[in-house]
Amino acid sequence: MARVVVDVMLKPEILDPQGQAVQRALPRLGFDGIAIAEVRQGKRFELEVDGPVDDAALTRIQELADTFLANTVIEDFTVKVEPS
Amino acid sequence: MARVVVDVMLKPEILDPQGQAVQRALPRLGFDGIAIAEVRQGKRFELEVDGPVDDAALTRIQELADTFLANTVIEDFTVKVEPS
């Protein structure tokens, strides 16, 4: 059993109101000691794959992320195999 | 400028309907070639920190994640500094 992680984030040029809301809330919550210039919020998918994650499986997962998990008009994604 | 990533996932014992919906949709979408045993969906926060990320800054970000980004009753989180 291997774990493949797909991270989906809004493209840098797309406005991220959720991230902005988090960032603006920081001083109000007392987190004004560290200078956080930007916060962006995205999605993380953890896929538990039965069997080995070979190139064919990774290609399928790339397709899956590209067509289904991410909206590639506004989002970028990365696929990573996590060491188990 | 350094990037700190906070990943927030539902605890393993908490039902994840979003992840289940993704998993159940896979065969319907033609992704039946690879056996994906489980899908879990969570959140990823990217914090752009001005200045160095020292132990004090990391401790503050841990507190931030613990009190604000994650609901630790039902969610686990990890904090990672990304190499820039």
Side-chain angles (χ1 to χ4, degrees), chain B residues 8-21:
Chain B
V8 178
M9 300 296 294
L10 284 169
K11 288 180 193 282
E13 65 271 26
I14 305 285
L15 190 70
D16 177 4
Q18 282 184 305
Q20 285 185 344

Side-chain angles (χ1 to χ4, degrees), chain A residues 54-79:
Chain A
D54 50 16
D55 283 352
L58 265 187
T59 304
R60 292 293 279 158
I61 291 172
Q62 289 267 4
E63 280 173 31
L64 165 66
D66 195 34
T67 55
F68 178 49
L69 298 180
N71 174 356
T72 52
V73 176
I74 57 167
E75 291 169 329
D76 289 328
F77 67 89
T78 59
V79 176

Side-chain angles (χ1 to χ4, degrees), chain B residues 5-83:
Chain B
V5 175
V6 180
D7 287 321
V8 178
M9 300 296 294
L10 284 169
K11 288 180 193 282
E13 65 271 26
I14 305 285
L15 190 70
D16 177 4
Q18 282 184 305
Q20 285 185 344
V22 170
Q23 193 196 351
R24 286 190 195 141
L26 297 180
R28 209 168 61 227
L29 291 161
F31 292 99
D32 40 10
I34 41 173
I36 294 182
E38 195 182 8
V39 178
R40 293 185 74 83
Q41 181 174 349
K43 282 174 283 190
R44 174 186 170 90
F45 297 91
E46 293 182 350
L47 314 178
E48 306 292 337
V49 180
D50 277 334
V53 182
D54 50 15
D55 282 352
L58 265 186
T59 304
R60 292 292 279 157
I61 291 171
Q62 289 267 3
E63 281 173 30
L64 165 66
D66 194 34
T67 55
F68 179 48
L69 298 180
N71 174 357
T72 52
V73 176
I74 57 168
E75 292 170 329
D76 290 327
F77 67 89
T78 59
V79 176
K80 283 193 300 274
V81 183
E82 280 215 338

